[in-house]
Each structure stands twice: as C-alpha cells, then as structure tokens.
Amino acid sequence: MFTNKLKQHWAEGRAAINGWLSIGNPFTAEIMAAQGYDSITIDAQHGALDYSAVLPMLQAMRASGVTPIVRVPWREPGAIMKALDAGAQGIICPMVNSAEEAAEFVSYLRYPPLGQRSYGPTRAAFAYGSYGLAANDEVLALAMIETRQGVDNLDAIAATPGLDGIYIGPADLTLGTQEGRLPPGFDREEPEIIALIQRIRDACKANGIRACIHCGTPDYAARAIGWGFDLTTVGGDTRLLATAAAASVARWRELTGSAPVAATKGAY
C-alpha cells in the first residue's frame, strides 16, 4: 500500500511547496517533478490537457517520488475516480460552495463504507502495489472556495468530515467575491482580499485541516507560509517557461544590442 509523502511531510510539521502543470506533456511533467517539489498538481480544469495526457504525466512523475495531485474540471464523480485510479494521490476540486457539496466531493474519494468511490484502481494498483480500503486514509481531498457563497459557508465546509484541506485560488476568490471591482490575479495585496485569505486559513486551523494557496512568486509564498499556510504553489510550467525564455531573450538583446525584427506588413 502506498504512503502519501505529502501527508507524512505535514505530520512532521513541515510546510510544502507544490508545482503546477498546465502543459499536457509527460516530459514536461518529468522535468518539473525532478526539481525538488513536495507535490505536483496536474491542472485538468484549466490546463491544455485531458485524461489522455493526465495518465502518462502521472507515469512520468513516478520515479521522482513526488506526491501527484490532480485538479479536476468539476465536482464530477467519474472524473475524480478516474484520476484516482490513474494514480493521483490527491484531488483538488473547484467551486465548492456548501457543506453538502464538500461532503459529496469527499464521498467520491472514499471507498464504502466511508464514501461511494467505485473500485477499479487500474494503474494505481500497479504503481503502488496493494491498493484497497487503506487508500481511504492516504488520498487527499482539497476543496476550493472561490465564491461569495463558499465564503459564507466557509465554517461548515471546513468542518466536513473527511475533507483534508482547502485550496485557495486567489484569482477566482477575487472574481467571486468582489463583484468585478478588482481584476483576477495571484499575490493579492488588497487588505480585503488578504483578510479573506486569512479568514480561510483560520477556518482550516480551527477544524484541523490544511490551508493551501496558489502563489505567483516565491516571495509571496514565503509570506503565506509565515501566515500559517501548509502548502503553497509557486508559479507553474507555463509561467516558468515564459519567464525564463523572456529573460534569456532580453539578456541576449541587451548584450548584443540587437532589436527585435519588425513585423513585415502583410506577412503571414
């Protein structure tokens, strides 16, 4: 039976750094998983990928020993169970707005009598060896609170039996609570958004579950750890690739004095 290393990490009182994959490619997943992250999340909600990419990406990450997580597109039992059967050790579920929805989400991750997960760990059984009811204690259920309704029901959601933590996506949290007053984005500095983030953290701590947040930079992630968060995502494959490529090109142009080639009118 597999042991979830991220849960062990937390049990030892250590905060965790999570990587993020939006590019549907196993080589990208393998490269990211080898960089020292504690966990890696495959984004099947907004990422440029589907299940046919998720499976080989999970396979590619196996050698690194990193804890693999999948953010599913929605609170849909088939998608959740299939990701677990493929070898995900944790599921992030978007748009959880009530205790009832949180309980429903949790039920899809647990085998009876604790839930309604269907048995058929096709790849997980090969990846982890013995895979049975003990998986109930190892797979992580992380709910996303992203709307005003979710915030209003925060305490009840956080108290849901079997829920392991809450994952904050600051962009949607801002969109879902500020009625269009503020643009989406990570690393929020607005006092009212920071207050919301810390309110979610407090609800997690009060109920003995993990507080997790998506960040854009290591500096902001370090602040979040200082606030008491248990896991911070720092960037992701698309942003890291774009940032590194842009910096390399900018440095080359600086050193060579070469300006970008102007686009030719009518060229295609």
Side-chain angles (χ1 to χ4, degrees), residues 85 133 139 146 185 247:
D85 291 341
L133 294 182
V139 296
E146 307 176 87

PDB file of all heavy atoms in Angstrom, residues 85 133 139 146 185 247:
ATOM      1  N   ASP A  85      -7.847   6.417  -9.926  1.00  0.00           N
ATOM      2  CA  ASP A  85      -7.476   5.108 -10.476  1.00  0.00           C
ATOM      3  C   ASP A  85      -6.205   5.193 -11.311  1.00  0.00           C
ATOM      4  O   ASP A  85      -5.453   4.225 -11.420  1.00  0.00           O
ATOM      5  CB  ASP A  85      -8.615   4.541 -11.328  1.00  0.00           C
ATOM      6  CG  ASP A  85      -9.832   4.150 -10.505  1.00  0.00           C
ATOM      7  OD1 ASP A  85      -9.687   3.975  -9.277  1.00  0.00           O
ATOM      8  OD2 ASP A  85     -10.927   4.012 -11.086  1.00  0.00           O
ATOM      9  N   LEU A 133      -8.848  -0.704   0.757  1.00  0.00           N
ATOM     10  CA  LEU A 133      -9.551   0.243   1.610  1.00  0.00           C
ATOM     11  C   LEU A 133      -8.613   1.201   2.332  1.00  0.00           C
ATOM     12  O   LEU A 133      -9.026   2.302   2.709  1.00  0.00           O
ATOM     13  CB  LEU A 133     -10.400  -0.519   2.633  1.00  0.00           C
ATOM     14  CG  LEU A 133     -11.566  -1.346   2.066  1.00  0.00           C
ATOM     15  CD1 LEU A 133     -12.332  -2.002   3.202  1.00  0.00           C
ATOM     16  CD2 LEU A 133     -12.493  -0.486   1.224  1.00  0.00           C
ATOM     17  N   VAL A 139      -5.434   9.165   0.286  1.00  0.00           N
ATOM     18  CA  VAL A 139      -5.742  10.159  -0.752  1.00  0.00           C
ATOM     19  C   VAL A 139      -6.270  11.436  -0.100  1.00  0.00           C
ATOM     20  O   VAL A 139      -6.997  11.393   0.892  1.00  0.00           O
ATOM     21  CB  VAL A 139      -6.750   9.606  -1.782  1.00  0.00           C
ATOM     22  CG1 VAL A 139      -6.137   8.442  -2.538  1.00  0.00           C
ATOM     23  CG2 VAL A 139      -8.059   9.211  -1.138  1.00  0.00           C
ATOM     24  N   GLU A 146     -14.179  29.641  -3.812  1.00  0.00           N
ATOM     25  CA  GLU A 146     -13.885  30.664  -4.807  1.00  0.00           C
ATOM     26  C   GLU A 146     -15.013  31.672  -4.998  1.00  0.00           C
ATOM     27  O   GLU A 146     -14.904  32.564  -5.843  1.00  0.00           O
ATOM     28  CB  GLU A 146     -13.606  29.996  -6.161  1.00  0.00           C
ATOM     29  CG  GLU A 146     -12.530  28.915  -6.088  1.00  0.00           C
ATOM     30  CD  GLU A 146     -12.335  28.207  -7.402  1.00  0.00           C
ATOM     31  OE1 GLU A 146     -11.542  28.707  -8.215  1.00  0.00           O
ATOM     32  OE2 GLU A 146     -12.969  27.151  -7.633  1.00  0.00           O
ATOM     33  N   GLY A 185      -5.983  37.662 -10.401  1.00  0.00           N
ATOM     34  CA  GLY A 185      -4.526  37.610 -10.307  1.00  0.00           C
ATOM     35  C   GLY A 185      -4.088  36.961  -9.007  1.00  0.00           C
ATOM     36  O   GLY A 185      -4.886  36.774  -8.079  1.00  0.00           O
ATOM     37  N   ALA A 247      13.404  36.277 -20.193  1.00  0.00           N
ATOM     38  CA  ALA A 247      14.625  36.797 -19.571  1.00  0.00           C
ATOM     39  C   ALA A 247      15.849  36.479 -20.418  1.00  0.00           C
ATOM     40  O   ALA A 247      16.765  37.311 -20.560  1.00  0.00           O
ATOM     41  CB  ALA A 247      14.782  36.207 -18.171  1.00  0.00           C
TER      42      ALA A 247
END
